[in-house]
Amino acid sequence: MRLRLPAERPTEPPTGYKIAHPVLSQDGVRAGFTGVSLGGALPYAVLDDASCVYGRRHRPPARLCDCGFHCVHDRAAAEALLCTAENRAAVLLDVCVLGAYIRFERGFRYARQRVRTATVGPCACGATAVALADAGWGRPGWRALAPVCAGCGRGRTSVSLAGFARLAGEGLRVVARAGTEAGVQPPPSAAPVPDVPELVAEAALLQARLDWFQTQLARLGDRGTGGGPS
């Protein structure tokens, strides 16, 4: 006899966390997200239904397939994924799990979701992001975006955080995680103090350059006093 887990009937939709890349449509009138791994080729809206990435005709989340939206229970686990090099420009999403879902130890795989909040990280320069700008890659019909400050976003296709939320619709909130103040550079590390042999070598090099310079001046002086052609 095969045992099955009891069906859950929560009074409120479960919530979870995931990371994704924000995207802007080619015509600039729609905004959404694309995943960082499985299903990354299929951009989705703030409120959207999952589809099978393998093209099968079953409804996600099928038990014998990997299809469906994915999220984790713990916010810290999702934030940890932002530490990898390929995910540095991704944003953290707070989502509502809607429709049928399968619960796992670390998260859910589910049929439908609503993105409630997108938390944008700092600009690559470290300053707090004020916009999302063209990241230099994308999907057919969609431009991937990355967080930028006011200075780094100049000359690039971009949309403000509020503008992205408006284009995405469905009550999405977009917030920026604090970075350094724009234009403020971190204090430089203390330069290493040279030791005595290094100072002696630098002095010898400087003396050699001065000797060469004096030789060239002497030659020019000889030419100017008739010692050679003017």
Side-chain angles (χ1 to χ4, degrees):
M1 180 177 178
R2 184 177 179 182
L3 298 177
R4 299 184 65 179
L5 294 175
E8 296 184 12
R9 292 181 173 83
T11 57
E12 295 183 357
T15 60
Y17 302 92
K18 63 193 300 182
I19 65 172
H21 294 288
V23 292
L24 182 68
S25 63
Q26 182 179 2
D27 55 12
V29 299
R30 291 177 296 158
F33 302 95
T34 187
V36 298
S37 56
L38 183 67
L42 302 174
Y44 54 86
V46 170
L47 178 63
D48 213 339
D49 295 294
S51 58
C52 181
V53 296
Y54 304 110
R56 298 170 184 168
R57 296 185 178 181
H58 53 235
R59 288 185 178 181
R63 290 186 177 274
L64 300 180
C65 188
D66 295 328
C67 60
F69 291 122
H70 296 71
C71 73
V72 295
H73 301 305
D74 188 15
R75 181 187 180 100
E79 289 178 329
L81 300 175
L82 297 172
C83 295
T84 62
E86 62 272 21
N87 295 335
R88 290 294 178 92
V91 300
L92 177 69
L93 303 183
D94 177 349
V95 301
C96 277
V97 175
L98 305 174
Y101 63 83
I102 301 175
R103 181 188 290 272
F104 296 93
E105 180 182 0
R106 298 188 62 186
F108 297 101
R109 181 160 62 90
Y110 49 101
R112 184 175 172 84
Q113 77 175 3
R114 178 189 295 274
V115 181
R116 302 191 301 180
T117 305
T119 303
V120 177
C123 176
C125 71
T128 302
V130 298
L132 295 167
D134 191 346
W137 63 277
R139 309 294 185 203
W142 295 87
R143 291 188 178 93
L145 305 177
V148 292
C149 64
C152 296
R154 294 173 182 169
R156 297 161 61 182
T157 300
S158 63
V159 59
S160 67
L161 302 186
F164 183 89
R166 178 179 54 80
L167 292 175
E170 298 293 341
L172 175 69
R173 293 178 60 246
V174 181
V175 297
R177 193 168 69 243
T180 60
E181 294 183 14
V184 176
Q185 297 295 329
S189 57
V193 179
D195 53 18
V196 173
E198 289 178 340
L199 291 175
V200 171
E202 290 289 343
L205 179 61
L206 180 60
Q207 185 62 50
R209 296 292 294 176
L210 288 174
D211 291 342
W212 177 88
F213 187 65
Q214 290 177 345
T215 301
Q216 298 303 315
L217 286 177
R219 289 177 179 176
L220 290 175
D222 291 342
R223 290 180 181 181
T225 56
S230 60

